[in-house]
Amino acid sequence: NTMEISADYVTAIPEELTLYSSAFVCLGVYSTNHVLSSTEGQQLAEFLEAGGMLYMEGGDTWYYDDPTDVHEMFGINGISDGSGDLGTINGMVGTFTEGMTFNYGGENNWIDQIEPTGDAELILENQSPNYGTAVALDAGTYKTIGASHEFGGLGGGEATQEEIITEYLSYFEVISNTVAANF
């Protein structure tokens, strides 16, 4: 709203998801999380296959929960069920999160530890113990960002939620984050 971008907040996947260019799915953290059903996973996979852009976060969705059709489209390997040890989350050098640091203050139970596969790249990691918490993938016809932490838990540090959502929206081509010179 602050950025004056039109958005709808819903608690279920819309029937006409392809009316949207991007979607942000927040599955939560144990014990108040939602486990993606196979039907929901198929709907989200079809959205990506149609050229959509998808952000999906969940503390258990990458390692602990059973994968759905959409999970394989993120280029994420869940390496551990993790624990409640998120603290400082850092952006990765050479990515659109470079130089960003957050003090994590969100739900913090059984946070999946993740790593990129294929052409995906790690964009955020927990400082100590060190493990991946967010991965981005540009698959050519669609883009994804998958996270095991809550976006709402990112705060403090040397970056703001507004800065990182600006980068996410720019990556998804919802907004332009470039400066144009006109001589």
Side-chain angles (χ1 to χ4, degrees):
N1 288 337
T2 304
M3 299 172 77
E4 298 181 6
I5 297 172
S6 177
D8 293 326
Y9 174 82
V10 297
T11 58
I13 298 174
E15 281 187 40
E16 297 293 329
L17 188 56
T18 55
L19 295 176
Y20 300 91
S21 64
S22 61
F24 286 68
V25 177
C26 301
L27 298 172
V29 173
Y30 181 81
S31 65
T32 58
N33 60 313
H34 174 76
V35 177
L36 208 60
S37 72
S38 60
T39 301
E40 292 167 327
Q42 180 60 41
Q43 289 173 296
L44 294 172
E46 290 171 2
F47 173 69
L48 289 177
E49 290 166 353
M53 311 292 178
L54 181 60
Y55 169 90
M56 188 165 75
E57 69 179 40
D60 279 333
T61 198
W62 306 109
Y63 180 85
Y64 184 78
D65 296 343
D66 291 333
T68 67
D69 291 344
V70 77
H71 285 86
E72 65 188 40
M73 300 177 79
F74 278 82
I76 291 177
N77 179 40
I79 57 176
S80 174
D81 192 24
S83 63
D85 55 12
L86 283 175
T88 301
I89 297 178
N90 296 313
M92 302 302 296
V93 173
T95 72
F96 57 82
T97 62
E98 182 173 351
M100 293 185 176
T101 300
F102 302 93
N103 297 320
Y104 186 74
E107 295 295 322
N108 203 353
N109 302 311
W110 307 108
I111 302 298
D112 288 351
Q113 298 177 6
I114 61 176
E115 65 184 4
T117 63
D119 292 333
E121 62 183 344
L122 187 65
I123 59 170
L124 292 171
E125 69 180 0
N126 193 53
Q127 182 171 305
S128 180
N130 185 254
Y131 60 87
T133 65
V135 169
L137 173 64
D138 181 345
T141 57
Y142 67 85
K143 292 181 182 178
T144 61
I145 298 172
S148 58
H149 60 267
E150 292 180 316
F151 180 85
L154 299 176
E158 298 177 21
T160 65
Q161 287 179 345
E162 186 173 338
E163 288 171 316
I164 196 165
I165 196 67
T166 298
E167 292 299 328
Y168 287 176
L169 294 172
S170 178
Y171 179 71
F172 284 164
E173 302 170 17
V174 172
I175 62 171
S176 175
N177 196 17
T178 59
V179 176
N182 187 6
F183 297 101

